[in-house]
Amino acid sequence: MRAAQDWLIAAVLLDMDGTLVDTERVYLESLTEVLNGFGLPDALQTCESMIGLPGPECQALLVARYGETLPLAEINRAFVEKRDVRFAQGLPVKPGTSELLDTLADANCPVAVVTSSSRKTADLHLTLAGIRGRFGTILTRDDVAHGKPAPDLYLLAADRLGVPPQNCIAVEDSSVGVTAAFTAGAITLMVPDLLQPDDATRGKCAAVLPDLNAVRSLLETRGRFAAPDALSVPR
């Protein structure tokens, strides 16, 4: 007999950068190097504060921190050059990605990517990582007026899949993403990437886990996958 607190899972919603694919480190190292090159102070701390935020908000944060005279166009060009050099060396998936996706496919569990990246970037990163074909549903910042930490992307993902948000497992790597998933009402799991969560972020998580293999194990032991139409939201 399964415990009463087990999760009835209708869908799994996965963040992309830093959760499925190892891009956050590329972004952090590339932008930190560029900001240092421009002689800007506290470059690493500034870049760390952007983790999980949509691109336009990162741009606004740079201007707010360094002033309106910041040569943003030059910084962007230098960042793209350094980022692309690193991408050319390959974009690895995070540990446990393939195993988790295989388990969900075997369970006939609907899956969606829910990312703060643009549609173009999402397609590029998933393609470079060799997993674009694993996803039929991808929600990006282009699909909503308000990106993470607002809940809009997760609410839209649940709606697209036709399931209640409270029966969705959301997997995130950043405090920004955790806030979005938690506010949407999803069962939120965190696999920290570059930064460990503070107490407030931990309080929003059903579990904080070391990698996606641990996510898979937890879903197998604590979760019960619903039949595809068992929890469908009436339309």
Side-chain angles (χ1 to χ4, degrees), residues 13-25 50-53 94 114-116 148 154 170-179 181 188-197 201 205 208-210 212:
L13 312 178
L14 301 165
D15 175 55
M16 182 181 68
D17 293 308
T19 299
L20 291 174
V21 293
D22 200 6
T23 48
E24 293 289 12
R25 193 174 308 278
M50 298 179 186
I51 293 174
L53 291 176
K94 300 292 284 187
V114 181
T115 176
S116 292
K148 302 173 187 180
Y154 277 103
V171 185
E172 278 281 354
D173 73 294
S174 70
S175 60
V176 171
V178 164
T179 296
T188 306
L189 307 180
M190 185 180 190
V191 179
D193 184 26
L194 299 179
L195 299 176
Q196 292 298 313
T201 299
C205 298
V208 177
L209 301 162
L212 294 180

Side-chain angles (χ1 to χ4, degrees), residues 29-92:
E29 292 175 353
S30 299
L31 187 56
T32 299
E33 187 176 338
V34 169
L35 297 185
N36 282 328
F38 276 81
L40 297 170
D42 302 319
L44 178 60
Q45 294 89 332
T46 297
C47 294
E48 287 178 342
S49 69
M50 298 179 186
I51 293 174
L53 291 176
E57 293 184 28
C58 292
Q59 303 284 298
L61 188 152
L62 284 174
V63 172
R65 186 154 299 184
Y66 295 119
E68 296 289 340
T69 60
L70 184 73
L72 195 57
E74 295 177 42
I75 288 172
N76 285 336
R77 282 194 295 270
F79 165 70
V80 168
E81 288 177 6
K82 291 186 181 297
R83 179 203 67 190
D84 288 351
V85 167
R86 287 178 164 88
F87 277 173
Q89 299 169 5
L91 183 54

Side-chain angles (χ1 to χ4, degrees), residues 111-132:
V111 179
V113 169
V114 181
T115 176
S116 292
S117 293
S118 67
R119 172 72 53 178
K120 179 180 178 181
T121 298
D123 284 336
L124 174 63
H125 288 181
L126 293 172
T127 298
L128 286 173
I131 56 173
R132 175 63 182 85

Side-chain angles (χ1 to χ4, degrees), residues 137-160:
T137 303
I138 299 175
L139 283 302
T140 76
R141 73 165 189 241
D142 298 335
D143 296 306
V144 293
H146 305 288
K148 302 173 187 180
D152 302 34
L153 271 170
Y154 277 103
L155 293 172
L156 180 59
D159 182 68
R160 287 276 179 90

